[in-house]
Amino acid sequence: MIKGLFYLSLSRHHLNFNLALHRCSIRRCITSMASPVRYNFIEYIEDLGRYKSGGYHPVHLGDQFYNRYRAIHKLGHGTYSTTWLARDQKINKLVAVKIGTADSNPREADILSTLNATAKGGAPTRDRQDDFFPPILDRFEIRGVNGIHPCYVTLPARASLSDAKEGSYTRLFQLNVARALAAQLALSVACLHHQGFVHGDLHLGNVLLRSPLTFQDISDQELYDRYGRPEPEPVTRVDGGELPLGVPSHGLLALWLGEPSDKVALQDSVGNHYTHYTKGFGVVGVIHYTKAFR
């Protein structure tokens, strides 16, 4: 049986979630219908009109979360969250910090923790090869100008399968990789259904390639040398006025950690640990909940 290819997680009872540890999707909106302020266009970032009461929490590079996690780059965004690559200063490792909007459902991390514990028959661990769901390493709240934001910490992912395909000339995975992905997806969905959950938005954009555990140990400088430094772009209003309180001074494109789909390969021995995959790839599950129900 093929194991350990990806994490998966779902919501229950019409809980609307967007757990995005994947690369940001294209957001071409300059403004939000609900926001009276219009912002100059910045491609590939979240809707700036959502930086308001009930919406996103403004984050700047170097910000400290929970007196422990320091933001060093952006990993992505979704309708109900932004996700940041951060340095866990207690253990000196890289982690992903997901910061929900103030109007997002705070039970998200509860459900993921339950799924992890149930799937493994015990307490979550960091090195199980058959994990279907992203592990919750820590959780906390941020009380900011736009409201109270539920946050959780998990392992960083690399890129979604759709992004990997977009980065490839052939837009194809090697046959053994495609078979392994399909098999693991079926197993993950079966596990979810067994626990009384369904996935409301299952597609390649919500399946992520996970990083090898060694990725957590690289320094900030090594990260920037390999993948490039952040390039913040100033956020400005169309009318030239002052930015409202709660809007970040800069927008930031998400860090690309992926690889073209045709370059993603699995070693002959599939299903051991993260590092047993060629180039450190394992496939992690995905995270996007919309209108899922029991």
Side-chain angles (χ1 to χ4, degrees):
M1 179 181 294
I2 298 174
K3 289 180 165 186
L5 299 183
F6 62 83
Y7 301 130
L8 189 64
S9 56
L10 293 228
S11 58
R12 188 198 300 251
H13 300 310
H14 298 277
L15 298 177
N16 297 315
F17 298 142
N18 185 348
L19 297 158
L21 285 179
H22 56 79
R23 183 170 176 256
C24 65
S25 60
I26 297 175
R27 299 290 182 189
R28 297 185 178 273
C29 296
I30 296 177
T31 185
S32 169
M33 291 290 291
S35 173
V37 180
R38 298 177 65 239
Y39 301 95
N40 288 308
F41 176 69
I42 302 178
E43 196 172 20
Y44 304 123
I45 72 167
E46 63 273 17
D47 179 2
L48 293 171
R50 285 282 283 150
Y51 282 101
K52 60 182 181 180
S53 179
Y56 295 121
H57 175 68
V59 175
H60 299 87
L61 294 173
D63 281 358
Q64 303 275 345
F65 310 131
Y66 204 46
N67 293 320
R68 177 171 178 175
Y69 307 102
R70 175 172 51 85
I72 62 174
H73 215 309
K74 184 180 178 182
L75 288 176
H77 74 271
T79 305
Y80 294 100
S81 66
T82 56
T83 305
W84 297 83
L85 186 64
R87 173 72 58 188
D88 183 340
Q89 298 178 116
K90 184 176 180 180
I91 60 175
N92 195 31
K93 289 183 179 293
L94 293 178
V95 295
V97 178
K98 184 197 163 189
I99 303 176
T101 57
D103 61 3
S104 63
N105 195 308
R107 289 194 59 226
E108 183 177 307
D110 293 334
I111 292 175
L112 284 172
S113 296
T114 298
L115 287 169
N116 271 292
T118 305
K120 298 166 188 174
T125 60
R126 298 170 68 102
D127 58 354
R128 285 284 298 245
Q129 65 269 25
D130 56 349
D131 293 342
F132 294 150
F133 317 108
I136 303 299
L137 307 179
D138 197 4
R139 53 192 302 185
F140 54 92
E141 289 182 341
I142 292 177
R143 294 178 178 268
V145 65
N146 291 332
I148 301 174
H149 305 265
C151 307
Y152 69 77
V153 181
T154 188
L155 300 176
R158 298 200 70 172
S160 71
L161 300 189
S162 62
D163 282 340
K165 287 167 64 69
E166 286 289 338
S168 168
Y169 177 77
T170 65
R171 295 179 56 83
L172 297 173
F173 290 94
Q174 296 180 51
L175 183 58
N176 64 329
V177 175
R179 287 172 171 167
L181 289 171
Q184 188 66 20
L185 179 59
L187 291 172
S188 299
V189 171
C191 181
L192 284 164
H193 291 178
H194 180 71
Q195 300 305 325
F197 293 86
V198 298
H199 201 293
D201 194 22
L202 192 59
H203 57 78
L204 295 184
N206 288 330
V207 181
L208 311 180
L209 295 168
R210 69 176 159 197
S211 302
L213 289 179
T214 53
F215 175 75
Q216 294 181 274
D217 298 320
I218 67 175
S219 68
D220 296 1
Q221 187 60 52
E222 287 177 297
L223 176 78
Y224 297 148
D225 287 345
R226 292 183 194 180
Y227 303 106
R229 288 185 171 274
E231 297 181 359
E233 297 188 40
V235 173
T236 56
R237 289 172 53 152
V238 171
D239 61 9
E242 294 288 330
L243 293 178
L245 190 64
V247 176
S249 62
H250 291 76
L252 187 65
L253 301 184
L255 177 65
W256 169 242
L257 296 172
E259 191 165 14
S261 58
D262 57 297
K263 301 298 183 182
V264 178
L266 298 176
Q267 289 182 340
D268 292 334
S269 176
V270 178
N272 291 314
H273 300 289
Y274 297 78
T275 52
H276 285 194
Y277 296 101
T278 302
K279 297 186 179 178
F281 275 94
V283 179
V284 332
V286 272
I287 312 178
H288 182 108
Y289 309 129
T290 0
K291 295 183 180 178
F293 55 88
R294 194 173 182 182

